[in-house]
Amino acid sequence: MRSPKPVLALLHGWGMNARVFDALADLLAVDFEVRALDLPGHGGRAALAKNTLQSWADDLAQQLPDNATLLGWSLGGQVAMRAALDHPHKIARLVLLASTPKFVATEEWVRGMAIADLQAFGAALLADPRATLLRFLSLQTRGMAGQKALLQHLRQTLLAAPQASSEALAAGLAILHETDLRADLPRLTQPTLVLHGALDTLTPAAAGTWLAGTLPAAQHIEFAHAAHAPHLSHGEAVAAAIGSFAHG
């Protein structure tokens, strides 16, 4: 009798939905029981009564079996890190894809987005949520070869499930604005694979380098020609890296 496949959960980023992992899930399905999850208020899920990084991390942990491998992309990576810190029995291994401990740049943290840019996103989101999300998608592929095709794929993914609620979008922006996990990460002892694109303009590659150097048990792979969505532009390489990491 064959042993069951290990569970690999995938958590998307701000404004997106679980369908963004369709292609990656197909590549990983041979070796894993893949579960692509939606954040609260995204992909047709209702928002929580309280929408914070902590509540989203607790919600995530409730959906996982013990000893799962968890991949978090971008904002999903911040939720995954918080869940791994607070529910270590649930998460045996962690994959951080284009993620960061602190999204917003400050004088002493230059590996992030300018606060003025994030505030502009918030104002635009209130005025025109759909157009703002589409502009956000263009930032995820900026500077890449094949940007047009990748951008079209992301747009199709965004439209493949119900749009995130305005409440969830605002909560996600607040989490991106406020979260700073740097002081907590030395306590995150699970084996972690940090995957980053060298061309990422939303979560700079330097953030991935910092994560890999700070986490106690981290491996680091940087894709020279990828931006903020390596799982779309370099899916086979990402899947191979995850497979090697999880079975190593």
Side-chain angles (χ1 to χ4, degrees):
M1 182 176 177
R2 295 181 62 184
S3 60
K5 296 177 183 178
V7 171
L8 172 61
L10 310 175
L11 190 66
H12 62 83
W14 179 79
M16 296 301 297
N17 58 69
R19 296 294 304 276
V20 77
F21 292 121
D22 282 358
L24 183 64
D26 287 343
L27 291 169
L28 293 166
V30 173
D31 295 319
F32 299 95
E33 179 188 330
V34 182
R35 302 182 185 179
L37 307 175
D38 282 304
L39 287 167
H42 293 68
R45 285 194 66 196
L48 302 180
K50 184 178 182 181
N51 292 278
T52 63
L53 179 68
Q54 188 70 62
S55 66
W56 284 10
D58 293 343
D59 171 81
L60 170 63
Q62 291 174 10
Q63 300 175 67
L64 300 176
D66 289 354
N67 298 315
T69 296
L70 172 62
L71 178 150
W73 173 41
S74 194
L75 169 62
Q78 294 190 328
V79 179
M81 284 185 270
R82 186 73 264 164
L85 285 161
D86 296 340
H87 306 276
H89 65 290
K90 289 286 189 176
I91 300 162
R93 291 174 181 264
L94 191 62
V95 180
L96 299 176
L97 179 64
S99 194
T100 176
K102 179 174 169 57
F103 196 85
V104 174
T106 59
E107 286 187 7
E108 42 75 48
W109 175 257
V110 297
R111 309 164 184 86
M113 174 183 271
I115 184 65
D117 291 342
L118 191 62
Q119 289 171 339
F121 260 112
L125 186 69
L126 292 173
D128 192 339
R130 184 183 179 88
T132 303
L133 282 173
L134 292 176
R135 185 163 71 89
F136 185 65
L137 297 186
S138 70
L139 290 176
Q140 297 187 24
T141 56
R142 179 181 290 173
M144 287 193 54
Q147 180 190 22
K148 186 175 181 180
L150 274 176
L151 183 57
Q152 181 62 26
H153 182 91
L154 281 169
R155 285 175 172 165
Q156 290 172 348
T157 299
L158 186 65
L159 300 174
Q163 182 173 308
S165 69
S166 57
E167 181 181 5
L169 290 173
L173 274 178
I175 291 170
L176 291 174
H177 184 275
E178 297 165 6
T179 297
D180 184 353
L181 295 168
R182 289 177 294 169
D184 293 323
L185 292 188
R187 297 191 292 105
L188 200 162
T189 57
Q190 292 95 326
T192 302
L193 176 63
V194 178
L195 302 176
H196 228 96
L199 305 178
D200 196 333
T201 59
L202 288 173
T203 56
T209 302
W210 188 94
L211 277 172
T214 302
L215 290 164
Q219 303 174 33
H220 184 210
I221 298 176
E222 185 176 297
F223 299 99
H225 303 292
H228 194 62
H231 55 299
L232 298 180
S233 61
H234 296 70
E236 291 187 1
V238 168
I242 294 169
S244 297
F245 167 71
H247 297 302

